[in-house]
Amino acid sequence: IDTPPALNFYARSALIATDRVLIPFDCDEFARQALYTLLDNIGEIREDHNDDLSIEGIVVNQFQARSKLPTRIVDELRAEGRPVLRRRCPARSRSRNRMSCTSR
């Protein structure tokens, strides 16, 4: 169930209805704080409504390998035990319609 990037009634309903969650994540501090909020909400939904709900993984979007901040954030999330998937979707400036994800 794909929902807009807002934790509203529709997103919460989708989390109650599903068993697994795949979370897209942009590598910046604002997105990391939003991720922590989402993870807290997933925990609450798991406790109150859907104990089968699990996090399948966190997909890193807009990854800029040459920048230190995204690499540091991903490393820190992994060190916290977050299920960050190895496959990353790099930020591309040329091709907007084609986006390939790489494993690293």
Side-chain angles (χ1 to χ4, degrees):
I1 303 171
D2 190 14
T3 63
L7 197 54
N8 55 23
F9 171 79
Y10 301 108
R12 293 182 65 82
S13 296
L15 291 170
I16 292 169
T18 191
D19 292 334
R20 296 180 295 177
V21 178
L22 192 60
I23 303 170
F25 175 74
D26 292 342
C27 291
D28 60 40
E29 286 297 330
F30 179 74
R32 179 162 48 178
Q33 294 308 313
L35 175 66
Y36 291 146
T37 301
L38 176 61
L39 294 174
D40 289 343
N41 277 273
I42 288 172
E44 290 175 14
I45 289 169
R46 186 182 297 132
E47 289 176 15
D48 295 340
H49 302 286
N50 182 357
D51 51 344
D52 293 330
L53 182 60
S54 65
I55 299 171
E56 189 76 13
I58 298 169
V59 179
V60 177
N61 281 331
Q62 303 298 320
F63 186 77
Q64 298 174 5
R66 293 183 179 153
S67 178
K68 292 180 183 180
L69 179 65
T71 301
R72 181 178 58 86
I73 289 175
V74 169
D75 289 345
E76 289 172 359
L77 289 173
R78 283 198 178 114
E80 294 170 3
R82 308 294 181 191
V84 179
L85 300 178
R86 286 246 170 262
R87 191 164 294 270
R88 299 174 182 164
C89 299
R92 300 226 187 238
S93 58
R94 282 187 180 167
S95 62
R96 292 180 182 242
N97 296 331
R98 274 188 348 195
M99 186 181 309
S100 64
C101 297
T102 60
S103 293
R104 290 195 186 169

